[in-house]
Amino acid sequence: MSQSMQNTIVKQLPILLKREFWEHKVAIFYVPLIITLFSIGIVVLSAISAPLISFSVDVENNGPGHQVTIGKSDTSMSEIVGPQLVSFSKRSMAQKERVFEELYSGFSLLLIVPLWFVIFFYLQGSLYEDRKDRSILFWKSMPVSDGLTVASKLITALFVIPAIYLVFVVISQLAFLIIASIVATFNSVEVWSTLWAPAHLMMRWLGMMAFFLFTAFWCLPFFTWILLVSSWAKSVPFAWVMGIPILLVVIEYYLFRSSGYIREFIANHSISFREVSGGFSNFYAAGVFSMEMLLAVGIGAIFISVTIWKRGYANEI
Amino acid sequence: MNDVSTNIASNIVEVKGISKSYGDTYALDNVSFSIQRGSIVGLIGPNGAGKTTALKALLGLTDFNGELEVMGIDPRTGRHKMMENVCFIADVGVLPRWLKVKDAIDYLSAVHPRFDRDKAVGLLEQTNIQHNKKVKQLSKGMVTQLHLALVMAIDVDLLVLDEPTLGLDILYRKAFYDSLLNDYFDRETSIIISTHQVEEIESLLTHLLFIDQGRIVLDTAMDELSENYREVLVEPSQVSEAEALGPLSTREMLGRKSMIFEGVDEAKLAPLGELHIPSVADLFVAKMRRG
């Protein structure tokens, strides 16, 4: 990379990322803000008045089931808020940790499920909408290379948007602990050992960060495929995004019946809602330097190259 | 190839035999022309003649066959480099609707090495456009004013305008060309304008390019136009004499016949009737009829 190319990137990339933020402010910023305010509001209401939300966490058994119901409930926020904090503080550390695990998993899902939708539709529109509304003629009249344009979209989807959502996860988890601490103090419960220590906030946040980073590369074929479709589809990009992989799977099924390599690969490397909240588990650690990872990044790189090439002659539609 | 590179010094654009087809219809059919530094070229043709395709090829927005260089750069491979020296305004409405005026200025400041922020702000002060407004909150005319202000604040060598006033009312159209003319009058910038409203830009132009069905049918400087073309209002008694000189076109005008001649000696034409230099619009119609 030449010096002048580096200068251009340093000068242009920040404003290109800002551009993406301006265009998608609602999805990138206001949606998580409102969700966060809403969930903090629920917690505050539960802490000061009759509980609107009840958690029943299966602490005694090892089952992972947790259950969140919203609405007037006659059970209080058992184990967490109010006088229950007193009994909660007497549980073992392992039990406390489990409660936080379940509680915070549910909490972060409130933000992470929307996050995946936002990223999906952001990518799908990123190189499509400006062709549809003809503003591509303005963007292309700027001395910005197609490669940098595509890079700015991908960086936004894989790093900027998750980072912003992560900040809101942090805020909502902190807010929850602060509110619970206030209630605890009023009930003379030891705040650190009951709440902050078992919550493992730092580890939790690092774990989520690692999870997003891992997903960015592990699911690179998934993200870049959407981007690629967005760069050439003349209409309904969603149909192409979904249709072609489904077609591939069907063809594979008719050709080979039993083996479903493509199907498995697609399922494996798409974002899913299963493990979003779990943080950085061993599964990911094993995946980081695997052949499978290499393959995923390789396919992603091919998709990116084709996207840049398609963008080169992209026009109004 | 040699030809192209030796001409670069004086010509800002060199187009050599470019073609572009959609299916079996040619949008551009072996088109060649060049644009000299500092000239203002009108690219004129009926709808679907290939004007927009020609400009898109020039801007690196479409693929084509043939040779094309803008300041020595092939726009197919060097668009972003070329765009440091080229500005482009398509017909109204290509500014993204969600973009705020102040953000547009920030964007250009960061992205464009030749953008003059103070100048853009100064130009916008002459309009009713507020900096915190989004493009979608502006009227059609104001969007064009905004785009023109942004573009005029960029010091470029070539300005490409593709039907820049399409869909605007006459007041904004007039204002657009007035500010364009005032601002670029003493610059070295070359301008290429495509339009089918020839009358509005006729006085601006230094060169004319007529395009029809993907072919260049006329490529001339405006001062050559006055040397080569004459419109004669022929008296009824002299019609047959006039027709013998082979007029480009003939039309009825208030009982007399108006004929346009190409390259016929003025001495021969003078006895036939009143002489004029034909308007670009009339010449255009005459050329199109022949093609």
Side-chain angles (χ1 to χ4, degrees), chain B residues 92-107:
Chain B
V92 287
V94 306
L95 286 184
R97 289 170 51 75
W98 49 264
L99 189 64
K100 274 188 188 162
V101 175
K102 66 178 169 72
D103 291 343
I105 294 173
D106 282 350
Y107 180 85

Side-chain angles (χ1 to χ4, degrees), chain A residues 16 38 71 80 116 124 126 182 186 210 239-240 247 266 269 297 315:
Chain A
L16 293 184
F38 174 78
I80 304 298
W116 288 148
Q124 186 185 283
S126 61
I182 292 168
F186 277 114
W240 294 104
L247 194 69
I266 292 174
H269 293 268
V297 172
N315 230 304

